[in-house]
Amino acid sequence: MTPAESVSRRVGQLRSHQPAWAALPVASRVRWLSDYRDWLWDNQSRLERLLIEETGKPATEAGLEIPYVVQAINYHSRRASRLLADRRPRPHGMLAITKRQLIVQRPYPVVGVITPWNFPLGLSLLDAVPALLAGCAVVVKPSELTSSAVAAAVAGWTEIGAPQVFGMVGGDGGVGAEVVGAVDFIQFTGSARTGRAVARAAADRLVPCALELGGKDAMIVLDDADIERAANAAVWGAMANCGQMCVSVERVYVEAPVYDRFLAAAAGRAAELRAGTDIGGFINPAQGDVVASHVEDALARGARALVGGRRPGDATVLADVNHAMVCMAEETFGPTLPVMCVADEDEAIHLANDSRYGLSAVVFSGDRRRAERLARRLEAGTVNINDVFANLFTLALPQSGWKESGLGARGGSDAVLKFCRSQAIVSARVMPRRELTWYPYTPVRRAVLHRVSRLLGARGLRRRLG
């Protein structure tokens, strides 16, 4: 069976079961997700072992993915009934007074979730959960490098006896392209290059897509920051998951008065990291070549490696970097922390915004108002203040990418509603033989329409009376 035939068959099976799933009360879909949550807890250890085996993640990091998905199930399940409930807006004008207005949410029949190799379970299920709650069927296409844990997790949906509206297809990018060509909504997480191809294919079919793409997240450390906390945050933000995160701290701008202190603290923290326990390996071996080229370019252009710099998988802290270096412009996606000295906050903002990416950013300052003022100037979908990755755990907030970092958003109300099409239903409250606006047009009817519309729509007695 060809990839096209395999995808077509799987999507067709899911599509056939979706109408009955969408017809269930939201509370019934919530119960199935609750059963699935319990299954995830019961199988957590097995799923984590699969993650460790195929990604090389440290056990602590592998242990974060299931609790993260469970948090999403709990949060979205609490809100789903209210978000998906029918709404009846109040009439707003003369022509609407005699109409009943109704807004209903209709799910996209089949949602395709295409995910990368860095967080196989977390990213696959994070989008699948709200789509299922919305009433969609979901097909997941994980990276061919990390499909085992996802396959086991998707199989769990069948094990609990749930309606067959959640499935997976495996394979390379060609299979992903077939998914894009077969589903009704595409949720893609990956590189900006592939994201463009997905967006073009979706545009050709006139189907919606949401894209979370690359990042080159900047961290700004102001002269009034808590330097110890900032250094600890920067090292974790750059090195967690071996730096293989879209929202990793990929460049740091430090005001001159605290530059040396920050460097010393960050280098000290990075030097303490243990291979295997704190930092795993590269999930995609080719990523090591990218990291090595970025570090070599920086050193050749005058940067100093305070820690690491010899092997691409080592925790590396680079000092005295500048924007002529590749590591400050291109996504590194590895355990590298380049640090640049800036004269003041204006220079920091200018350099932070000097990027084609805009996923998230970080500001460290002892003055919350000052930090928020800078946050409003940053060109990024999310800004964390005195913290890193905090936005990942705030499901009530939208997480969106600006510029080449994506389209659409995760989180908040959009997490469920983006998988729905709003349908407006209008019905007549009163039914005379003819409405005032219908044929035949007569001077009397026009005069009545003119008078009534002015009385209801104009402001001020003179204008109402005409």
Side-chain angles (χ1 to χ4, degrees):
M1 186 180 295
T2 67
E5 292 170 337
S6 177
V7 171
S8 177
R9 179 180 178 183
R10 192 71 184 100
V11 170
Q13 291 169 341
L14 294 168
R15 192 181 296 281
S16 68
H17 290 282
Q18 186 271 336
W21 174 251
L24 289 175
V26 177
S28 296
R29 298 200 292 268
V30 167
R31 281 194 294 272
W32 281 117
L33 267 297
S34 298
D35 289 348
Y36 187 54
R37 174 198 60 207
D38 296 341
W39 184 93
L40 290 172
W41 280 133
D42 294 342
N43 291 269
Q44 182 180 15
S45 297
R46 178 168 66 93
L47 294 172
E48 288 176 3
R49 284 196 300 272
L50 289 172
L51 278 176
I52 293 169
E53 288 171 5
E54 65 183 358
T55 67
K57 290 174 182 279
T60 299
E61 293 178 356
L64 294 175
E65 295 201 35
I66 294 301
Y68 187 45
V69 172
V70 166
Q71 181 185 13
I73 292 175
N74 291 339
Y75 175 76
H76 295 308
S77 293
R78 288 195 303 268
R79 294 168 50 83
S81 292
R82 181 170 62 83
L83 292 173
L84 297 170
D86 294 350
R87 291 190 294 119
R88 295 188 180 276
R90 295 179 60 184
H92 66 280
M94 180 191 70
L95 297 180
I97 287 175
T98 61
K99 314 299 179 187
R100 288 188 178 90
Q101 301 176 77
L102 176 64
I103 300 174
V104 299
Q105 301 299 335
R106 300 278 300 278
Y108 289 98
V110 182
V111 170
V113 177
I114 303 174
T115 56
W117 37 259
N118 57 338
F119 286 96
L121 279 180
L123 290 173
S124 295
L125 298 182
L126 182 65
D127 291 311
V129 165
L132 288 167
L133 286 168
C136 312
V138 177
V139 59
V140 174
K141 206 302 281 186
S143 167
E144 64 273 22
L145 300 176
T146 54
S147 61
S148 297
V150 178
V154 173
W157 184 259
T158 300
E159 288 183 31
I160 65 173
Q164 294 304 294
V165 290
F166 186 27
M168 187 194 107
V169 292
D172 59 13
V175 174
E178 296 296 337
V179 171
V180 171
V183 299
D184 308 295
F185 185 107
I186 305 144
Q187 174 67 55
F188 173 81
T189 304
S191 70
R193 177 179 59 83
T194 306
R196 287 191 185 91
V198 170
R200 284 193 292 267
D204 286 341
R205 296 184 55 225
L206 289 178
V207 298
C209 66
L211 313 174
E212 188 202 286
L213 308 178
K216 191 65 186 176
D217 290 7
M219 177 176 180
I220 296 174
V221 181
L222 300 177
D223 56 10
D224 58 355
D226 180 332
I227 297 302
E228 287 298 315
R229 178 172 173 83
N232 288 332
V235 171
W236 187 54
M239 313 301 176
N241 205 44
C242 199
Q244 299 165 117
M245 297 177 65
C246 300
V247 292
S248 288
V249 173
E250 292 236 345
R251 51 201 172 110
V252 185
Y253 303 98
V254 186
E255 285 196 297
V258 294
Y259 178 68
D260 291 335
R261 282 178 55 208
F262 177 86
L263 280 177
R269 297 296 84 73
E272 296 169 354
L273 299 180
R274 301 156 294 173
T277 301
D278 299 313
I279 298 184
F282 290 110
I283 301 168
N284 183 353
Q287 194 60 36
D289 297 334
V290 175
V291 176
S293 68
H294 285 200
V295 173
E296 290 167 5
D297 173 79
L299 296 176
R301 293 174 182 269
R304 295 180 292 129
L306 303 184
V307 177
R310 297 179 181 178
R311 297 175 302 178
D314 292 341
T316 298
V317 177
L318 298 173
D320 304 337
V321 298
N322 59 61
H323 271 221
M325 301 173 183
V326 178
C327 69
M328 296 296 279
E330 302 296 329
E331 187 175 31
T332 304
F333 224 62
T336 303
L337 183 69
V339 186
M340 180 174 178
C341 182
V342 294
D344 52 34
E345 62 184 47
D346 288 332
E347 184 182 12
I349 291 291
H350 170 73
L351 293 171
N353 288 338
D354 183 21
S355 173
R356 67 177 188 272
Y357 296 110
L359 192 55
S360 64
V362 177
V363 177
F364 265 80
S365 172
D367 184 335
R368 180 180 56 82
R369 290 184 179 179
R370 183 187 184 194
E372 288 184 359
R373 175 167 49 79
L374 264 65
R376 293 172 184 268
R377 298 172 61 190
L378 285 166
E379 296 169 358
T382 302
V383 181
N384 293 296
I385 294 176
N386 294 329
D387 210 340
V388 287
F389 302 155
N391 58 300
L392 299 180
F393 305 103
T394 52
L395 295 175
L397 300 180
Q399 299 173 25
S400 60
W402 292 10
K403 298 191 269 191
E404 292 187 27
S405 287
L407 298 172
R410 284 191 176 106
S413 299
D414 285 343
V416 173
L417 291 180
K418 77 177 181 182
F419 296 115
C420 295
R421 299 160 292 179
S422 295
Q423 184 180 47
I425 299 175
V426 186
S427 59
R429 291 178 183 273
V430 294
M431 292 180 287
R433 291 182 60 193
R434 294 190 185 96
E435 295 284 339
L436 190 60
T437 54
W438 294 1
Y439 295 129
Y441 296 150
T442 67
V444 171
R445 293 164 69 87
R446 187 176 72 239
V448 171
L449 182 63
H450 174 80
R451 175 63 62 193
V452 173
S453 62
R454 290 190 72 93
L455 286 172
L456 294 177
R459 296 296 179 266
L461 182 61
R462 180 178 60 83
R463 290 187 177 87
R464 285 181 173 175
L465 296 177

